[in-house]
């Protein structure tokens, strides 16, 4: 996805600094010297000022008299901002993001599936079925990007069919994080089980069976959460992170 931070000269500065903060190259309390940015990026003071303003709105930096511009504590970051989500999910995805995404999906997506079963139009139902066909087709090869795209399309179609604008718009936040999770999980998923669980959701929505749709999506999300925990637990730090987040939903 193309985010605001990717546009223009000041957008480039925002993008680079945002990535550095997300990767821990700049940590809470670190001072950001505007003059150093002028030299590094070869841009005007106006560009640097605008970039700092954008990062401030995202909660990543702030300024104090006699201290200057500094990186803020994590609790002030706008974690639902689409740029922040993208920075966290690119490269080696943030394991905490993967786990938290799984928890959010366990809460939201079964409810969205229940609503979609009741509220979906014939056109939306056709879109969900088409997305299922495309998703199944990705298992004919091992190309991760096509799988990620199809999986995102499937879940976006259900969110849209829920008839709830807030749920539908939430896909803007979920997209980069889902992308990260799917890239990690693709090699670990069992094709038959993965597809059968998705098809069960589609069947229930087509039949307008809200209870079955919610149950099927919960099964799918619970499996997704287990997959995420398995992947994140590959190293000691990840295993500790998973253990500290018990009990699961």
């Amino acid at each position: 996805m193309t985010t605001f931070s990717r546009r223009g000269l000041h957008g480039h500065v925002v993008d680079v600094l945002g990535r550095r903060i997300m990767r821990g190259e700049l940590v809470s309390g670190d001072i950001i010297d505007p003059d150093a940015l002028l030299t590094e990026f070869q841009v005007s003071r106006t560009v640097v000022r605008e970039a700092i303003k954008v990062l401030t709105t995202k909660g990543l930096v702030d300024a104090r008299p006699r201290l200057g511009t500094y990186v803020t504590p994590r609790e002030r970051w706008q974690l639902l901002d689409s740029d922040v989500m993208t920075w966290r999910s690119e490269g080696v995805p943030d394991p905490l993001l993967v786990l938290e995404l799984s928890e959010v999906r366990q809460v939201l997506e079964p409810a969205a599936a229940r609503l979609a079963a009741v509220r979906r139009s014939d056109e939306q139902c056709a879109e969900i079925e088409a997305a299922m066909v495309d998703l199944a087709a990705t298992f004919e090869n091992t190309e991760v990007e096509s799988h990620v795209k199809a999986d995102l399309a499937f879940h976006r179609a259900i969110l849209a069919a829920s008839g709830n604008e807030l749920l539908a718009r939430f896909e803007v936040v979920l997209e980069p994080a889902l992308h990260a999770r799917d890239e990690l999980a693709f090699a670990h998923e069992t094709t038959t089980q993965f597809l059968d669980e998705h098809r069960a959701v589609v069947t229930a929505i087509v039949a307008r069976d809200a209870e079955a749709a919610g149950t099927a999506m919960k099964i799918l999300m619970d499996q997704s959460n287990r997959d995420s925990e398995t992947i994140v637990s590959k190293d000691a730090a990840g295993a500790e992170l998973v253990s500290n987040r018990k009990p699961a939903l």
Side-chain angles (χ1 to χ4, degrees):
M1 62 187 295
T2 301
T3 63
F4 170 79
S5 71
R6 309 292 177 93
R7 301 199 293 265
L9 286 174
H10 83 280
H12 173 66
V13 178
V14 169
D15 196 47
V16 173
L17 293 179
R19 290 169 187 271
R20 289 175 183 175
I21 293 171
M22 290 303 112
R23 290 197 298 256
E25 296 172 13
L26 292 170
V27 300
S28 176
D30 280 356
I31 302 301
I32 296 177
D33 181 1
D35 290 333
L37 298 180
L38 295 176
T39 301
E40 178 182 357
F41 293 101
Q42 294 295 295
V43 294
S44 69
R45 194 169 296 276
T46 298
V47 168
V48 170
R49 185 165 54 247
E50 288 300 312
I52 294 299
K53 185 183 300 183
V54 172
L55 290 170
T56 301
T57 64
K58 297 177 185 298
L60 301 183
V61 304
D62 204 349
R64 290 178 183 170
R66 297 188 298 277
L67 178 62
T69 301
Y70 65 96
V71 178
T72 57
R74 184 185 180 93
E75 56 265 25
R76 293 183 56 185
W77 298 354
Q78 299 294 323
L79 295 178
L80 294 182
D81 179 90
S82 59
D83 286 327
V84 174
M85 190 72 73
T86 296
W87 294 326
R88 290 184 70 191
S89 64
E90 289 184 336
V92 178
D94 181 343
L96 180 59
L97 173 64
V98 173
L99 294 178
E100 289 184 336
L101 169 65
S102 291
E103 292 178 350
V104 169
R105 296 181 73 191
Q106 284 179 297
V107 172
L108 291 183
E109 296 209 46
R114 284 194 294 271
L115 289 173
V118 174
R119 298 176 175 174
R120 56 85 174 166
S121 66
D122 291 342
E123 292 77 10
Q124 289 171 327
C125 187
E127 289 177 3
I128 294 170
E129 291 179 300
M132 183 68 243
V133 172
D134 290 342
L135 182 59
T138 67
F139 282 90
E140 296 176 3
N141 59 64
T142 57
E143 204 276 303
V144 175
E145 191 60 37
S146 62
H147 169 74
V148 170
K149 182 178 178 180
D151 196 24
L152 286 169
F154 177 85
H155 290 282
R156 279 199 300 263
I158 292 174
L159 290 173
S162 72
N164 183 302
E165 287 186 336
L166 294 180
L167 282 174
R169 298 294 175 85
F170 200 68
E171 62 90 13
V172 175
V173 176
L174 289 179
E175 179 172 350
L178 278 169
H179 195 283
R181 187 267 168 193
D182 277 2
E183 284 193 333
L184 287 173
F186 183 61
H188 297 262
E189 286 163 341
T190 302
T191 301
T192 301
Q193 180 180 347
F194 178 84
L195 293 179
D196 288 347
E197 288 169 350
H198 281 72
R199 288 193 182 101
V201 176
V202 177
T203 298
I205 291 175
V206 170
R208 295 190 183 276
D209 188 335
E211 188 62 30
T215 299
M217 184 63 85
K218 184 179 186 305
I219 291 171
L220 179 58
M221 292 298 99
D222 287 348
Q223 182 59 53
S224 175
N225 186 62
R226 288 191 292 271
D227 290 343
S228 296
E229 290 183 346
T230 298
I231 295 161
V232 170
S233 296
K234 288 188 297 183
D235 56 49
E240 182 178 2
L241 181 60
V242 170
S243 177
N244 290 339
R245 296 191 70 78
K246 298 291 186 181
L249 290 175

